[in-house]
Amino acid sequence: MNETELILQLKSQDEKAIRFFVERYQQQVFTITLKFVFNSLDAEDLTQESFMDALSHINTYDEQASLTTWLYRITVNRCLMYIRAQKRKKRFAIIRSIFQTDEDEPIAIEDKQASAERDLMNLELSQQLKTAIERLPENQRMAFSLIYLSEFSYAEVAQILEVSVKAIESLLSRAKSKLRLELKEFSYENAG
Amino acid sequence: MKTPDDLLKQAIDDLNSELNQVNTPDLTNRIISRARNQSNSNQSIITLKRFAIAAAILLSVLNGTVVWSTMSETNDQNQTSELETVYQNSSDWSTLLTLNEN
């Protein structure tokens, strides 16, 4: 089935076309989500949601980009929504702990942070990289993940994120500077 | 001691090899099932909307019919009372004929 036929059949909600579409692209979509959220359960959910978004909005697909690029763009947006939701949960947890009134459990944000830092020192390098990636700004995180973890080309990532190749290069340069700094601190502490 | 670039490269390789070991689950049937349910749900909503529109049209037609018949009755009643007034007040048969024609 070529792309044009597939799009027509998806628009008419043909089940065989949906099956073909999912089977063809689910591996790549799952890879993008897994290498963004580092958690296979969340990656499964995000993969499903990405396909459901694509199927719900197939009638708005205007064929300016390829079907693949359009699907990956939807997947990236789903991942961004996920990390924003995670940030909101963390903020809420911090606020909740500030207003904790139990005397037996005093406000422990600083203690928790110190403990987390000690734990980080003991983590493997890959875990440290994950934590460092999670601290990157959204756009840098997205560019880094797509290029270095999902192994897309610069041109493909530029199409997915709808920016120029130069913009991708700039994002990566900044991302890598930050990550090198964080890993350097990790290696000094471990060499200690 | 490794350079920062070497460290980053090693970290990326380690992370990739860890994540590449995760198997891609087969989500095809789950997605198809959700798509089917969503399609059925959309069809139900369309049917309900059409029903609501049809009911609104029917109600407005009935309302229009009731208003029209009420107005017609009122017009008839008005004409009748006009005629009665004329019968009571006028002895001019030509006036009566003109009113009837109207």
Side-chain angles (χ1 to χ4, degrees):
Chain A
M1 201 186 296
N2 67 37
E3 195 167 287
T4 314
E5 285 168 7
L6 177 61
I7 293 162
L8 275 169
Q9 291 188 32
L10 286 174
K11 285 184 177 179
S12 59
Q13 311 265 324
D14 179 71
E15 230 173 72
K16 280 187 192 162
I18 295 173
R19 184 173 289 276
F20 179 84
F21 180 55
V22 173
E23 283 172 354
R24 192 185 207 183
Y25 294 112
Q26 69 174 332
Q27 176 150 13
Q28 190 60 288
V29 171
F30 181 74
T31 301
I32 292 171
T33 57
L34 178 67
K35 293 189 174 185
F36 195 76
V37 305
F38 308 130
N39 173 313
S40 60
L41 285 176
D42 288 344
E44 274 188 38
D45 286 343
L46 287 171
T47 302
Q48 281 193 66
E49 293 307 318
S50 301
F51 276 107
M52 291 312 300
D53 283 349
L55 293 171
S56 307
H57 294 97
I58 191 70
N59 287 318
T60 65
Y61 170 60
D62 58 10
E63 303 187 43
Q64 287 199 5
S66 70
L67 184 64
T68 318
T69 302
W70 182 74
L71 175 62
Y72 295 160
R73 207 176 275 160
I74 288 173
T75 307
V76 159
N77 283 331
R78 267 285 162 188
C79 291
L80 287 173
M81 283 164 64
Y82 169 87
I83 58 168
R84 286 167 194 164
Q86 294 297 106
K87 278 183 189 163
R88 278 196 297 272
K89 279 185 199 167
K90 276 186 190 165
R91 258 185 256 134
F92 182 69
I94 289 170
I95 290 168
R96 209 168 51 191
S97 63
I98 287 170
F99 289 103
Q100 209 169 320
T101 54
D102 189 342
E103 284 178 25
D104 292 335
E105 292 183 38
I107 295 166
I109 301 171
E110 285 177 16
D111 288 345
K112 277 184 185 168
Q113 219 167 6
S115 160
E117 280 171 10
R118 275 198 301 278
D119 289 343
L120 278 176
M121 286 180 344
N122 298 327
L123 285 177
E124 293 173 11
L125 191 55
S126 63
Q127 296 292 321
Q128 179 67 2
L129 179 60
K130 274 189 214 175
T131 308
I133 288 170
E134 283 168 356
R135 288 208 272 257
L136 289 174
E138 277 179 9
N139 49 3
Q140 290 177 26
R141 178 175 174 174
M142 189 52 74
F144 183 85
S145 168
L146 289 171
I147 296 284
Y148 286 102
L149 303 181
S150 299
E151 296 174 351
F152 283 97
S153 70
Y154 280 60
E156 285 169 326
V157 174
Q159 278 194 324
I160 292 168
L161 300 183
E162 295 182 278
V163 296
S164 64
V165 170
K166 273 204 162 43
I168 299 295
E169 287 170 357
S170 167
L171 286 171
L172 282 176
S173 169
R174 283 182 275 152
K176 281 161 69 180
S177 295
K178 288 198 178 93
L179 294 174
R180 272 189 226 112
L181 202 60
E182 295 224 20
L183 292 179
K184 193 172 160 185
E185 285 170 8
F186 168 79
S187 74
Y188 281 153
E189 281 153 3
N190 265 8
Chain B
M1 187 124 170
K2 287 185 177 175
T3 66
D5 268 339
D6 289 336
L7 208 54
L8 180 57
K9 188 176 180 309
Q10 187 192 331
I12 292 171
D13 289 344
D14 287 354
L15 183 54
N16 264 332
S17 96
E18 179 189 317
L19 294 174
N20 287 343
Q21 286 176 30
V22 177
N23 290 325
T24 305
D26 186 1
L27 302 169
T28 314
N29 290 333
R30 263 189 263 175
I31 291 168
I32 286 179
S33 170
R34 279 184 67 179
R36 208 183 280 146
N37 287 342
Q38 192 169 69
S39 174
N40 290 341
S41 164
N42 288 345
Q43 285 301 318
S44 302
I45 289 168
I46 289 168
T47 306
L48 276 170
K49 276 185 183 170
R50 284 181 181 164
F51 178 74
I53 290 167
I57 292 170
L58 187 62
L59 278 170
S60 65
V61 164
L62 282 172
N63 195 37
T65 309
V66 165
V67 166
W68 183 80
S69 343
T70 311
M71 277 173 62
S72 295
E73 263 186 38
T74 311
N75 276 345
D76 286 346
Q77 279 173 1
N78 284 344
Q79 280 197 343
T80 308
S81 66
E82 269 178 17
L83 283 172
E84 283 173 355
T85 311
V86 168
Y87 287 144
Q88 282 166 11
N89 300 328
S90 173
S91 57
D92 186 346
W93 285 99
S94 65
T95 314
L96 283 172
L97 285 169
T98 313
L99 276 174
N100 264 344
E101 275 163 12
N102 288 345

